[in-house]
Amino acid sequence: MTHTIQPNNPEITPAPDAADLPAATPAPRSTAPAVPAALKRRIPKYADLAPLMQFKKPEFSKEARLKRASTIWELRDIAKRRTPQAPFDYTDGAAEEEITLRRAREAFLDIEFRPGILRNVSSIDLTTDILGKPSRLPVGIAPTGFTRMMQSEGEYAGSQAAEAAGIPYTLSTMGTASIEDVAAAAPNGRNWFQLYLWTDRDRSLELIERAAKAGNDTLMVTVDTAVAGARLRDVRNGMTIPPALTVKTVLDASYRPAWWFNFLTHEPLTFASLSRYTGTVADLINSMFDPTLTFEDLDWLRETWKGKLVVKGIQTVEDARKVVDHGADGIVLSNHGGRQLDRAPIPFHLLPEVKEAFTKDNSDAAIILDTGIMSGADIVAALALGADFTMIGRAYLYGLMAGGRAGVDRTLQILEKDMARTMALLGVSSISELTPDHVRLLNK
C-alpha cells in the first residue's frame, strides 16, 4: 500500500476567521537576530586545541619518502633528484624534438570518461588473462636496456617486484642482468624475454635457447630498431656504456652521492646477454642490429621458438594483421616510447583501429599497448578501447631510480590503486565490463 506524505510548509497557514482576529496593535520595532553561540568569539581552550596539535616527528627514510609519493609523476621528481643527469635523461628523454613522447602523453589526457551510476562496485577485480596465463593486474613491466645504470638493483628489483605483484616481467636483450640470473632472482615469476634479432643468427639462436631453458614462456621480438633513433639528450650528455667519469659527471655526482656509491661498489655495469661492449648506445645499435630484417625472419622465429611469440613495435593496422598472419600470438602497439622515429603514430590512437581489424578477422591475437602510460586511469582507458594488456617502461624506471625494489613496488601500488578507483567511479567491477562506451576521444 502506498502512503502519500504531504509536505509541511510552515510558511503557509490556514486563513483565520474574522471573529478570531485580535484588535489592531502597533507593529513591534524590528530587532537584530541573536548571534548563534557558535559564532561568538572566545579565547580557545587547551582541550579544544589539543586534538588539533598532531605534530609528527619528521621522517627521512626511503620508505617514508616513497610513501609520500601518490603519483608516478611524484616518483619521477624523486628520481630526478637522486639520479645523475645522463641516466635520468636516458630514461626520461626521447628522439629528436621528443614530439612523439609529448603526443603520447597528450593522447591519454585528451579523453573523457563516461561513467555509469548505481552499479555495485563494492569489490573491484583487476585480474586478467594474457597469452594463456593469469595476471593479477592488467599491466606488465616492459623490457628496458641498461637498467642497472638507472639504479644498482636494476633488473633484479623489477623482476622481483613483478613476481610479488603477480604480473609478467620482460628482460631486454640489452639488459644488465643475465637471463639465468633473473630467473634465479624471481623463480616463481612469469618471466618473458625480449629479443633483438642480430645479424649473427647463431647468437640470436643462443639467446632463444637460453630463454627457453630458463623457463621464459614468451618471446617478445622488437622490430622498430633497424637503426638507432636520434636521442639528442644522450648525445648532449655524452652517454656511454659504462658511464664515463668526466669533470661534468664528477660535479653531477657531488650532490647525488648515493647513486655513485652504489654504482662504484657493485659489479661493473655490462650487457649481461652480450659480450663486453664500450661505446655509445647509438653505435651499439647501429653495429649490432640487423637493418635487413623481413617477415621471413619472423617465420624463422616462429619455427624456432615453441612458446608464445609477441611482436613489439607495431605502428600500423596493416603490419598488425601481417605479423599475426606470420604466426605472432600477440602484438605490442608501441613506438618505442618515442625513442626511435619522432612524429610516429601514437599507440593509444591506433588501438581502436587495430581492435576493429582483429575483430573483423576473428583473430584472438593479444593486443598489448605501451608508450605514455603514467597512471592507472591511462591503463583503464586503454583496456576500455580494446587493449588486452598494457606495459610500463618509464613509470617503472622512475620508481626504480626513486628507491630501488621498494620504489618499483610503490609504482605498482600507485597504479593498482588508480585502476581500482577509476573502475569504481566508472561503475564497473571487472575488466571484462569495460567497453569503448566508457571512453570518448576528445581531440583525435
Side-chain angles (χ1 to χ4, degrees), residues 35-44:
V35 177
L39 299 182
K40 293 180 179 179
R41 294 193 182 276
R42 62 186 179 84
I43 298 174

Side-chain angles (χ1 to χ4, degrees), residues 178-192:
S178 71
I179 298 170
E180 295 78 11
D181 285 349
V182 167
N188 298 314
R190 187 177 182 189
N191 295 321
W192 298 354

Side-chain angles (χ1 to χ4, degrees), residues 83-118:
T83 311
Q85 184 175 350
F88 179 83
D89 277 354
Y90 177 79
T91 299
D92 196 60
E96 299 180 39
E97 298 178 59
E98 304 189 354
I99 294 170
T100 298
L101 178 58
R102 289 196 299 273
R103 287 177 178 173
R105 280 301 312 143
E106 289 166 0
F108 285 106
L109 299 178
D110 291 340
I111 67 167
E112 177 183 87
F113 280 123
R114 309 184 72 183
I117 61 170
L118 299 177

Side-chain angles (χ1 to χ4, degrees), residues 270-294:
T270 60
F271 298 112
S273 297
L274 314 177
S275 58
R276 290 187 178 273
Y277 176 88
T278 299
T280 68
V281 177
D283 287 344
L284 170 63
I285 293 175
N286 287 333
S287 66
M288 188 182 74
F289 301 143
D290 189 352
T292 68
L293 290 179
T294 67

Side-chain angles (χ1 to χ4, degrees), residues 103-439:
R103 287 177 178 173
R105 280 301 312 143
E106 289 166 0
F108 285 106
L109 299 178
D110 291 340
I111 67 167
E112 177 183 87
F113 280 123
R114 309 184 72 183
I117 61 170
L118 299 177
R119 273 76 163 178
N120 182 355
V121 290
S122 57
S123 177
I124 303 298
D125 182 7
L126 294 173
T127 60
T128 191
D129 287 334
I130 183 64
L131 297 170
K133 292 186 179 181
S135 177
R136 197 179 68 82
L137 301 173
V139 60
I141 292 181
T144 58
F146 326 128
T147 313
R148 286 183 55 241
M149 180 180 63
M150 318 312 168
Q151 202 271 354
S152 57
E153 295 177 56
E155 290 88 355
Y156 302 102
S159 59
Q160 290 174 343
E163 178 185 49
I167 64 174
Y169 172 81
T170 313
L171 175 66
S172 170
T173 294
M174 299 174 75
T176 46
S178 71
I179 298 170
E180 295 78 11
D181 285 349
V182 167
N188 298 314
R190 187 177 182 189
N191 295 321
W192 298 354
F193 183 68
Q194 176 270 335
L195 178 72
Y196 288 110
L197 269 175
W198 302 359
T199 52
D200 184 344
R201 287 293 183 271
D202 289 339
R203 299 288 297 280
S204 295
L205 183 59
E206 177 189 347
L207 282 179
I208 292 170
E209 291 172 346
R210 286 171 58 190
K213 187 176 180 180
N216 291 258
D217 63 72
T218 297
L219 184 70
M220 181 181 294
V221 57
T222 298
V223 294
D224 59 1
T225 52
V227 297
R231 302 171 192 175
L232 300 184
R233 291 204 216 182
D234 296 346
V235 174
R236 296 182 187 113
N237 290 328
M239 171 75 172
T240 61
I241 304 297
L245 286 174
T246 64
V247 172
K248 182 179 178 180
T249 55
V250 169
L251 290 174
D252 195 33
S254 64
Y255 56 97
R256 294 178 176 99
W259 185 93
W260 280 102
F261 177 77
N262 286 329
F263 175 74
L264 295 172
T265 58
H266 285 88
E267 180 181 320
L269 192 66
T270 60
F271 298 112
S273 297
L274 314 177
S275 58
R276 290 187 178 273
Y277 176 88
T278 299
T280 68
V281 177
D283 287 344
L284 170 63
I285 293 175
N286 287 333
S287 66
M288 188 182 74
F289 301 143
D290 189 352
T292 68
L293 290 179
T294 67
F295 284 93
E296 292 180 358
D297 297 289
L298 190 59
D299 293 334
W300 174 80
L301 267 181
R302 180 66 285 177
E303 293 175 4
T304 303
W305 175 259
K306 304 309 178 184
K308 297 293 185 181
L309 178 64
V310 174
V311 179
K312 180 177 181 290
I314 300 300
Q315 299 173 68
T316 68
V317 175
E318 178 185 4
D319 282 346
R321 283 175 147 163
K322 200 165 182 178
V323 297
V324 172
D325 290 342
H326 282 260
D329 298 297
I331 62 169
V332 182
L333 298 179
S334 171
N335 56 37
H336 216 104
R339 299 162 65 80
Q340 285 295 101
L341 175 66
D342 208 9
R343 300 179 180 86
I346 303 305
F348 187 65
H349 287 163
L350 183 62
L351 174 59
E353 300 174 47
V354 172
K355 180 65 175 179
E356 181 181 8
F358 278 20
T359 300
K360 287 182 180 178
D361 295 345
N362 292 318
S363 173
D364 60 357
I367 301 175
I368 303 171
L369 182 137
D370 74 10
T371 305
I373 292 173
M374 287 289 283
S375 74
D378 297 342
I379 294 171
V380 170
L383 297 172
L385 289 184
D388 297 300
F389 202 67
T390 61
M391 303 197 82
I392 53 169
R394 284 185 180 89
Y396 129 72
L397 292 176
Y398 291 142
L400 176 68
M401 289 186 286
R405 161 67 194 278
V408 183
D409 289 336
R410 185 60 181 154
T411 294
L412 298 176
Q413 291 164 7
I414 289 170
L415 294 177
E416 181 175 2
K417 187 175 181 179
D418 284 352
M419 285 186 280
R421 180 181 60 251
T422 302
M423 288 177 58
L425 292 173
L426 282 174
V428 299
S429 57
S430 66
I431 291 170
S432 61
E433 295 176 26
L434 289 168
T435 73
D437 290 338
H438 288 110
V439 178

Side-chain angles (χ1 to χ4, degrees), residues 12-21:
I12 302 176
T13 57
D17 293 336
D20 297 332
L21 292 175

